[in-house]
Amino acid sequence: LLYGYPLDAPPDDETRLQQVVDLYFNHISMRMNSFILDELRMVARRFSLESARGVFGRAALNETRSLAWAIRELVKERRGDGENTGE
């Protein structure tokens, strides 16, 4: 034991953030810095994991390598105008 006591499972927020970071690495980019991490933390807090999976998956299918695009799509989905353009 490195710290002299067993480490429990990380809190839900950390687990959720790790899942969002994994989605980002797997579908968008391997680039990481403190600004990207802050944006991913915001995604983990504000959006459901299912929505993030869907949008990040679409980014990979469209070969989009932009986190800004993914966040815009998440906001559109939340507002309800993801597929409807009003036509």
Side-chain angles (χ1 to χ4, degrees):
L1 297 174
L2 183 62
Y3 298 104
Y5 57 90
L7 295 175
D8 295 331
D12 288 338
D13 286 347
E14 286 183 36
T15 302
R16 189 179 177 94
L17 174 61
Q18 184 60 52
Q19 290 172 336
V20 171
V21 168
D22 288 344
L23 288 170
Y24 171 77
F25 281 152
N26 292 333
H27 297 295
I28 295 182
S29 176
M30 291 298 291
R31 299 172 95 188
M32 180 59 69
N33 60 41
S34 61
F35 301 109
I36 292 171
L37 184 58
D38 286 342
E39 292 293 312
L40 294 174
R41 188 173 285 121
M42 183 266 310
V43 167
R45 286 186 189 140
R46 293 187 181 178
F47 303 101
S48 72
L49 205 50
E50 294 80 25
S51 294
R53 278 191 192 108
V55 169
F56 283 40
R58 276 200 332 254
L61 288 175
N62 295 330
E63 296 183 8
T64 301
R65 301 288 177 232
S66 169
L67 180 58
W69 177 89
I71 292 172
R72 277 194 305 270
E73 292 298 308
L74 285 165
V75 170
K76 283 181 188 177
E77 271 189 17
R78 176 179 262 178
R79 287 185 182 158
D81 41 288
E83 296 296 320
N84 300 328
T85 59
E87 297 179 276

